[in-house]
């Protein structure tokens, strides 16, 4: 009987290190070509080294050593990992079952990934409280049911995208049972993570008391990659360094960027469209093959199509995504930004820029709102006129966002991300603003007191969404319906944005009343115009002195 020849370590000219090399089985050559496989090289004195290699007709990877004993150890380990990968590739959907130990090891990696991201600069106490609320909400669901699983995953999305994490860290998706076990254990681990980050936020950097309970990943059973921290953070120290993981499609690159930055649902939906357009234009989905010439040609095609503000939209989105990938090239494999410096020279045509409402427009809207019974039609226009806030910030308010400021005893709105996943524009958008006395006199606080705990202007907290979905937050529907209602009042000038023109009007009105731009910017949640402005912090009392200069009861009335 002829013995089957097993793969043995090989060498390459010009390198002293040994290599693992295996020819891809003929039935998988076509389907696996071009894919990236992540493999762990055992490192006796520390964490394993994670390396990546692109599959061609062979799978080849450097063992990064010529020491015979270590070559033997690493070659055997890589062989096990590759054989397991090939077996999964033949299994159809590629899903795998993990032992409970392996699931807990993967949870430990996820938990460490979050700590690596946040330990150096822990979230503020209020953000950690929001995390705790999200986790508590997610733990209430029975994960046996797919819809409940989606809701739970969506609830913790601002902390970690569990599905993307598993896809990026494993060479396959998990079976339903393994993934359910992973999420259940992850929720418990997130509670522990919040506790540790609370300690860090108070200057306590004593050893993490929870980490010892999680086993090390067995790379022969499940292939995972060492999580790479975001820019400015530092990875867990180890005597072995970690190599990077490459993204192979524009969709993967988008998913990596989305996981790292947690954009709003509307941004996810819009940028997903940019990715699809770019893929269709270049005729492939490989981000490594996109050149500056491709970016310039796409720009020209978008301009020729008659699209407006191409710089801020299509080009800006792709530039941002590739820049993130470039700054994290160790994990993405992207070494250039083809959109850097690619701009469309589009002039703003006179007579097309956005205009603010006039006082007459505001009076028309506020008077109409007084006669409405639906809460969002009755109160949102008055909130817009009295705060100048973005309609999306107001439409997602909960009863818990209406507070009494402890320093001034004023009734205020605490504008921040909604507990069910609603987002605000940026860090500077979180603020406390006073409620205008005219709004209180009109009965707004009575309305809030009579509402059950939860959202003020939509019925239920946002449900979860299926993987890959870009379903918008329910407050977006409220904003859209408000816009349609405003147009129905006869305000149909295309240069007047039914919601945003309120924001322009508010700024103009307070400027006319003599208020400083820096104060108005703080009330509206605009970014500071200078480094000096960033050090100015107005309290609600000072803000109230400004907003009461505009009377909502008399604005736009003659005589």
């Amino acid at each position: 009987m002829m013995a089957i020849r097993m793969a043995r370590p090989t060498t390459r000219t010009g390198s002293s290190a040994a290599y693992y090399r295996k020819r891809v089985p003929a039935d998988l050559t076509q389907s696996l070509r071009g894919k990236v496989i992540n493999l762990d090289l055992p490192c006796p004195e520390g964490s394993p080294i994670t390396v990546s290699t692109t599959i061609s007709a062979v799978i080849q990877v450097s063992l990064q050593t010529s020491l015979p004993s270590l070559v033997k150890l690493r070659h055997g380990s890589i062989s096990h990992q590759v054989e397991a990968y090939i077996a999964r590739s033949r299994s159809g959907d590629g899903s795998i079952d993990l032992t409970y130990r392996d699931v807990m090891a993967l949870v430990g990696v996820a938990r460490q990934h979050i700590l690596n991201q946040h330990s150096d600069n822990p979230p503020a106490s209020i953000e950690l409280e929001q995390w705790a609320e999200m986790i508590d909400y997610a733990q209430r669901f029975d994960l046996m049911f797919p819809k409940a699983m989606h809701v739970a995953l969506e609830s913790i999305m601002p902390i970690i995208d569990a599905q993307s994490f598993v896809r990026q860290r494993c060479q396959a998706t998990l079976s339903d049972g393994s993934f359910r076990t992973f999420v259940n254990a992850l929720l418990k681990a997130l509670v522990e993570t919040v506790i540790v980050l609370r300690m860090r936020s108070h200057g306590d950097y004593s050893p993490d008391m929870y980490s010892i309970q999680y086993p090390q990943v067995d790379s022969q059973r499940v292939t995972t990659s060492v999580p790479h921290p975001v820019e400015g953070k530092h990875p867990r120290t180890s005597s072995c360094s970690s190599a990077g993981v490459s993204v192979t499609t524009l969709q993967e690159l988008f998913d990596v960027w989305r996981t790292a930055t947690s954009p709003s649902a509307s941004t996810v939906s819009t940028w997903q469209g940019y990715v699809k357009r770019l893929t269709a234009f270049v005729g492939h989905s490989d981000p490594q093959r996109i050149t500056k010439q491709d970016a310039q040609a796409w720009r020209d095609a978008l301009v020729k199509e008659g699209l407006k503000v191409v710089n801020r939209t299509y080009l800006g989105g792709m530039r941002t995504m590739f820049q993130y990938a470039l700054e994290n090239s160790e994990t993405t494999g992207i070494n250039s930004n083809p959109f850097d410096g690619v701009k469309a020279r589009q002039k703003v045509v006179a007579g097309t820029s956005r205009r603010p409402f006039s006082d007459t427009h505001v009076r028309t809207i506020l008077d109409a709102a007084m006669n409405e019974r639906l809460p969002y039609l009755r109160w949102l226009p008055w909130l817009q006129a009295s705060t100048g806030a973005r309609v999306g910030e107001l439409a997602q308010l909960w009863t818990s966002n209406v507070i009494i400021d402890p320093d001034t005893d004023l009734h205020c709105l605490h504008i921040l991300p909604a507990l069910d996943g609603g987002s605000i524009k940026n860090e500077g958008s979180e603020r406390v603003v006073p409620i205008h006395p005219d709004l209180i006199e009109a009965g707004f606080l009575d309305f809030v007191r009579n509402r059950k705990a939860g959202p003020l202007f939509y019925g239920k907290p946002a449900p979860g969404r299926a993987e890959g979905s870009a379903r918008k937050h329910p407050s977006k529907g409220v904003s859209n319906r408000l816009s349609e209602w405003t147009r129905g009042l006869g305000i149909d000038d295309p240069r007047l944005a039914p919601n945003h023109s309120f924001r322009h009007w508010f700024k103009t009105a307070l400027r006319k009343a003599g208020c400083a731009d820096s104060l108005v910017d703080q009330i509206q949640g605009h970014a500071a115009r200078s480094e000096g402005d960033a050090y100015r912090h107005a309290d609600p009392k000072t803000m109230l002195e400004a907003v009461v200069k505009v009377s909502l009861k008399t604005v736009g009335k003659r005589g």
Side-chain angles (χ1 to χ4, degrees):
M1 179 182 292
M2 181 179 293
I4 299 176
R5 184 174 180 180
M6 304 298 290
R8 296 180 181 277
T10 62
T11 57
R12 292 176 59 181
T13 303
S15 174
S16 61
Y19 278 75
Y20 170 88
R21 178 183 173 89
K22 177 180 176 62
R23 182 168 294 279
V24 177
D27 61 315
L28 295 175
T29 302
Q30 199 165 21
S31 61
L32 295 185
R33 183 181 292 274
K35 291 190 175 182
V36 174
I37 180 172
N38 311 315
L39 302 164
D40 284 346
L41 297 174
C43 188
E45 66 273 27
S47 299
I49 302 173
T50 303
V51 295
S52 305
T53 185
T54 301
I55 300 173
S56 57
V58 298
I59 298 175
Q60 178 172 285
V61 61
S62 171
L63 300 179
Q64 301 188 11
T65 184
S66 58
L67 187 66
S69 59
L70 191 52
V71 166
K72 182 178 180 180
L73 173 65
R74 289 182 173 176
H75 191 273
S77 175
I78 294 295
S79 180
H80 277 289
Q81 295 173 59
V82 169
E83 293 301 330
Y85 177 82
I86 289 173
R88 291 195 297 269
S89 299
R90 283 200 175 109
S91 68
D93 62 2
S95 63
I96 57 173
D97 281 311
L98 296 182
T99 65
Y100 184 71
R101 182 189 185 284
D102 288 335
V103 168
M104 294 307 297
L106 193 58
V107 170
V109 174
R111 183 176 174 278
Q112 188 63 48
H113 172 64
I114 298 170
L115 288 174
N116 283 346
Q117 287 185 303
H118 297 286
S119 283
D120 286 358
N121 294 294
S125 296
I126 189 168
E127 185 176 351
L128 289 175
E129 289 302 318
Q130 292 171 9
W131 283 24
E133 293 258 6
M134 296 170 193
I135 297 163
D136 178 65
Y137 183 65
Q139 287 178 319
R140 300 175 191 176
F141 294 94
D142 184 347
L143 302 184
M144 285 291 295
F145 300 97
K147 186 173 182 179
M149 174 68 81
H150 292 156
V151 175
L153 293 177
E154 179 66 16
S155 301
I156 62 172
M157 184 74 76
I159 308 173
I160 183 172
D161 183 338
Q163 291 171 312
S164 293
F165 177 85
V166 170
R167 284 199 307 270
Q168 292 172 23
R169 295 308 188 264
C170 299
Q171 295 298 342
T173 56
L174 300 185
S175 65
D176 290 345
S178 289
F179 187 66
R180 186 164 52 249
T181 302
F182 170 79
V183 175
N184 271 318
L186 177 64
L187 294 176
K188 175 179 176 292
L190 290 178
V191 174
E192 301 165 355
T193 304
V194 168
I195 293 172
V196 173
L197 287 175
R198 281 197 181 115
M199 293 168 53
R200 302 290 184 258
S201 70
H202 290 92
D204 184 351
Y205 280 83
S206 57
D208 175 9
M209 72 286 281
Y210 297 104
S211 61
I212 194 172
Q213 66 184 300
Y214 296 97
Q216 292 294 309
V217 171
D218 186 335
S219 59
Q220 295 185 10
R221 295 200 296 253
V222 54
T223 302
T224 63
S225 58
V226 178
H228 185 80
V230 296
E231 182 181 9
K233 313 297 182 186
H234 300 285
R236 178 177 49 190
T237 57
S238 170
S239 56
C240 289
S241 62
S242 173
V245 180
S246 297
V247 295
T248 60
T249 67
L250 281 169
Q251 184 60 50
E252 286 181 11
L253 179 54
F254 174 78
D255 289 340
V256 168
W257 169 82
R258 181 178 66 172
T259 301
T261 60
S262 299
S264 67
S266 60
T267 299
V268 170
S269 176
T270 302
W271 287 32
Q272 186 81 69
Y274 300 163
V275 170
K276 290 179 179 178
R277 268 183 172 260
L278 178 59
T279 301
F281 180 80
V282 298
H284 63 81
S285 63
D286 187 351
Q288 308 279 2
R289 290 169 53 193
I290 294 177
T291 65
K292 179 159 284 191
Q293 285 182 319
D294 291 329
Q296 292 171 340
W298 191 46
R299 170 202 62 195
D300 295 342
L302 293 171
V303 172
K304 186 177 181 180
E305 191 177 332
L307 298 173
K308 307 298 182 184
V309 292
V310 169
N311 281 330
R312 289 209 319 264
T313 55
Y314 297 91
L315 297 179
M318 293 301 95
R319 186 183 303 116
T320 298
M321 196 172 79
F322 271 91
Q323 188 60 32
Y324 172 82
L326 177 60
E327 292 170 357
N328 295 274
S329 58
E330 294 89 347
T331 55
T332 63
I334 301 295
N335 295 309
S336 65
N337 183 349
F339 288 87
D340 187 25
V342 177
K343 295 183 179 180
R345 300 187 181 278
Q346 293 177 293
K347 294 182 179 180
V348 177
V349 180
T352 61
S353 60
R354 183 172 291 166
R355 296 170 50 209
F357 284 141
S358 67
D359 288 353
T360 302
H361 289 136
V362 172
R363 182 77 268 144
T364 297
I365 296 170
L366 295 185
D367 285 348
M370 287 290 289
N371 297 318
E372 293 291 344
R373 302 182 69 178
L374 292 174
Y376 74 94
L377 295 179
R378 172 66 183 86
W379 297 112
L380 282 180
W382 282 71
L383 286 168
Q384 288 177 282
S386 61
T387 64
R390 301 171 182 90
V391 69
E393 297 171 334
L394 300 172
Q396 67 180 18
L397 289 173
W398 285 35
T399 55
S400 57
N401 294 120
V402 181
I403 65 171
I404 296 178
D405 178 63
D407 296 326
T408 61
D409 289 330
L410 293 174
H411 288 95
C412 297
L413 300 178
H414 188 183
I415 297 175
L416 74 169
L419 292 175
D420 58 348
S423 61
I424 55 179
K425 187 170 184 179
N426 50 46
E427 183 180 358
S429 299
E430 181 178 340
R431 60 202 186 278
V432 174
V433 295
I435 300 174
H436 198 293
D438 290 349
L439 193 59
I440 295 175
E441 184 179 333
F444 177 68
L445 294 181
D446 294 329
F447 158 71
V448 174
R449 292 188 191 101
N450 291 327
R451 294 287 286 184
K452 295 180 180 179
L456 285 175
F457 302 115
Y458 54 94
K460 297 179 180 179
R465 61 179 186 265
E467 178 184 353
S469 170
R471 182 182 299 169
K472 294 180 175 63
H473 191 265
S475 62
K476 182 65 175 176
V478 171
S479 302
N480 291 340
R481 292 193 294 276
L482 179 63
S483 176
E484 293 171 2
W485 174 83
T486 304
R487 289 292 190 204
L489 299 176
I491 302 175
D492 52 8
D493 183 343
R495 294 179 62 187
L496 293 174
N499 291 324
H500 209 71
S501 284
F502 250 131
R503 196 159 157 79
H504 286 255
W505 171 82
F506 182 86
K507 185 176 288 290
T508 301
L510 263 62
R511 280 174 173 170
K512 288 180 178 178
C515 300
D517 282 348
S518 59
L519 174 59
V520 181
D521 286 344
Q522 289 183 59
I523 296 171
Q524 292 192 281
H526 271 136
R529 299 171 186 234
S530 67
E531 186 174 351
D533 281 348
Y535 285 89
R536 297 189 179 101
H537 302 285
D539 62 16
K541 182 179 179 181
T542 304
M543 292 181 181
L544 184 62
E545 291 171 354
V547 299
V548 296
K549 292 181 179 181
V550 177
S551 170
L552 301 184
K553 294 187 292 185
T554 62
V555 63
K557 290 186 176 180
R558 296 181 180 179

